[in-house]
């Protein structure tokens, strides 16, 4: 295994009841890079993303076969503590979902859950996380106000800051800009480019221009299969599979 691989899957299959949603997925995801998952709606990309932090555990009737390895450890092994896993691998969802509490408490929530009680330490984490999410200057004078009073783009950056507050290694982003306006989307794309110096980022996106702009690697999913995976520049300029080419040139999807 390449020493820069942080997450990998071997023979991964996922069934929702009788539906075979993921079929024999084998992939190695490098650390401190941005990997984009693309493909038409219902192709399995969000389902795949959720297998990486066991969010699918919450869905009734899910059956998973094969391996999902995080730093060489099978995350579906019985010994794995899911709370520990979700601290290593954070998630940002499609719609901004700040908690109905102050901006400060949104960011401090995770560290408090994990036992951080010191106000000095929490203040430090809150400021650092908001700075990392490029929103500190916009909110530093209103930390005690509700996060729900912010714009959609700001709320999404609060959610990114909240995910960063527990210091994960990996950040999963499921269509994290699809509900936002172009200016907010641009800010989050800049943020992703900056964050990959310290974090591994995996994004699901419908927007192929976005994948081309911000990702290092791209994986193309179709009907639950991983059709093609490689360097983004190559996948977009010289895809090896006809189905990839048809999708990125807009013949379907």
């Amino acid at each position: 295994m390449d020493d820069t691989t942080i997450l990998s899957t071997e023979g991964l299959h996922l069934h929702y009841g009788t539906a075979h949603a993921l079929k024999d997925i084998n992939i190695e995801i490098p650390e401190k890079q941005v990997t984009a998952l693309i493909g038409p709606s219902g192709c399995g990309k969000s389902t795949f993303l959720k297998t990486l932090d066991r969010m699918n555990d919450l869905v009734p009737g899910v059956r998973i076969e094969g391996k999902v390895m995080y730093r060489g450890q099978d995350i579906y092994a019985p010994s794995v503590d899911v709370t520990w896993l979700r601290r290593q691998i954070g998630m940002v969802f499609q719609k901004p979902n700040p908690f109905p509490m102050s901006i400060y408490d949104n960011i401090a929530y995770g560290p408090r859950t994990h036992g951080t009680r010191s106000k000095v330490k929490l203040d430090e984490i809150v400021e650092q996380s908001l700075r990392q999410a490029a929103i500190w200057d916009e909110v530093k004078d209103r930390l005690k106000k509700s996060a729900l009073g912010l714009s959609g783009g700001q709320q999404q950056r609060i959610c990114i800051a909240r995910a960063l507050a527990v210091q994960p290694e990996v950040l999963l982003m499921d269509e994290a800009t699809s509900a936002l306006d172009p200016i907010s989307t641009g800010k989050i794309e800049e943020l992703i480019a900056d964050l990959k110096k310290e974090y591994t980022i995996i994004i699901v996106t419908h927007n192929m221009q976005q994948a081309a702009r911000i990702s290092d690697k791209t994986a193309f999913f179709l009907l639950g299969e991983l059709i093609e995976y490689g360097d983004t520049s190559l996948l977009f300029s010289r895809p090896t599979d006809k189905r990839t080419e048809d999708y990125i040139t807009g013949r379907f999807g």
Side-chain angles (χ1 to χ4, degrees):
M1 194 158 116
D2 189 275
D3 61 359
T4 59
T5 297
I6 188 166
L7 277 161
S8 61
T9 66
E10 295 166 24
L12 176 67
H13 290 263
L14 183 140
H15 301 261
Y16 288 119
T18 55
H20 195 173
L22 292 175
K23 301 166 187 167
D24 195 23
I25 308 293
N26 297 284
I27 191 170
E28 292 194 350
I29 293 169
E31 72 173 329
K32 294 188 180 164
Q33 291 190 30
V34 179
T35 299
L37 313 177
I38 63 167
S41 290
C43 67
K45 53 192 190 295
S46 287
T47 300
F48 174 72
L49 193 74
K50 289 175 187 152
T51 62
L52 301 177
D53 71 345
R54 293 186 50 172
M55 286 299 270
N56 290 317
D57 288 17
L58 309 171
V59 182
V62 161
R63 224 171 62 247
I64 289 176
E65 298 152 21
K67 284 184 172 175
V68 179
M69 311 291 283
Y70 166 67
R71 293 210 176 281
Q73 179 178 13
D74 185 356
I75 67 169
Y76 285 89
S79 59
V80 169
D81 172 2
V82 178
T83 309
W84 168 85
L85 178 72
R86 295 202 186 122
R87 191 176 174 173
Q88 311 304 313
I89 302 177
M91 180 84 143
V92 178
F93 296 93
Q94 180 167 4
K95 289 199 168 60
N97 60 345
F99 301 137
M101 48 177 79
S102 73
I103 293 168
Y104 184 98
D105 288 338
N106 261 276
I107 312 305
Y109 183 87
R112 280 180 181 141
T113 307
H114 292 295
T116 305
R117 293 280 172 270
S118 148
K119 184 171 182 320
V120 174
K121 184 75 184 133
L122 286 170
D123 287 354
E124 201 177 283
I125 291 170
V126 168
E127 178 171 346
Q128 185 195 0
S129 305
L130 290 167
R131 281 188 187 282
Q132 280 189 306
I135 191 166
W136 170 252
D137 290 339
E138 292 166 56
V139 300
K140 64 182 181 208
D141 300 325
R142 47 197 286 201
L143 295 177
K144 296 283 175 255
K145 293 200 164 69
S146 169
L148 300 177
L150 298 169
S151 72
Q154 289 174 319
Q155 286 188 15
Q156 192 63 300
R157 280 182 286 150
I158 292 293
C159 293
I160 292 170
R162 186 177 69 195
L164 296 176
V166 297
Q167 297 178 309
E169 285 204 275
V170 180
L171 199 54
L172 309 177
M173 304 179 94
D174 192 2
E175 297 274 0
T177 61
S178 65
L180 305 180
D181 62 274
I183 289 171
S184 300
T185 297
K187 283 189 176 163
I188 290 190
E189 288 185 6
E190 282 170 28
L191 175 57
I192 290 170
D194 204 40
L195 288 174
K196 76 171 181 185
K197 296 175 196 140
E198 289 179 58
Y199 302 91
T200 301
I201 300 174
I202 305 168
I203 61 167
V204 165
T205 180
H206 268 110
N207 181 331
M208 278 182 288
Q209 286 76 22
Q210 181 174 69
R213 275 195 303 269
I214 65 173
S215 71
D216 302 288
K217 301 263 186 207
T218 297
F220 170 54
F221 283 78
L222 187 62
L223 301 171
E225 291 180 44
L226 175 60
I227 304 298
E228 189 166 344
Y229 172 60
D231 289 344
T232 298
S233 52
L234 277 174
L235 188 127
F236 279 96
S237 60
R238 295 202 297 281
T240 57
D241 191 293
K242 178 83 169 67
R243 291 167 294 181
T244 313
E245 187 181 348
D246 286 351
Y247 180 68
I248 62 182
T249 55
R251 286 188 200 122
F252 73 92

